Amino acid sequence: MVADKLIPNIRGLLSIPAPKETPMLDIPTAVGFLRSDISGSRRQWDEARIRKLACRLGYDLRKIAVFGPHTDRPIHRLRVLVSRLDVDAIITLHLEHLGGTAPDEIVQVADVITVEPQETYARWAIAPMREVARDR
């Protein structure tokens, strides 16, 4: 009904059409991750590189988490952060910041993207076609 789509002005004398709803774009989200002992004096530069890659790949970078060498259970803490922020990916400079590999605990809930080399460890793997054909 047209009357349902009208908004009265402040005095209620005139009605103006309600603004059109704009569709929300589903922009992927990410957190950056660095270890301060690995980045050292390059930390600001490393953070800038993470921001640049996130922007280039179209991610909304929510924050960059920086853990020190004495952080207790860093992978678990990162996993909790990913879950709480409900992000799609973690962007880190390279796998050394994650202990040398893309941890299963993280890859189960988010993609892991490295700046150098630029690689993505995806949480959803697609089976090769010959394996799919065998399953039928």
Side-chain angles (χ1 to χ4, degrees), residues 30-34 50 61 63-66 78 81 89-92:
V31 294
F33 178 71
L34 291 173
I50 287 173
L61 187 65
K63 72 180 307 177
I64 297 178
V66 181
L78 185 58
L81 178 65
I90 294 171
I91 302 175
T92 189

Side-chain angles (χ1 to χ4, degrees), residues 12-23:
L13 301 174
L14 300 172
S15 294
I16 56 172
K20 292 183 179 180
E21 291 185 26
T22 55

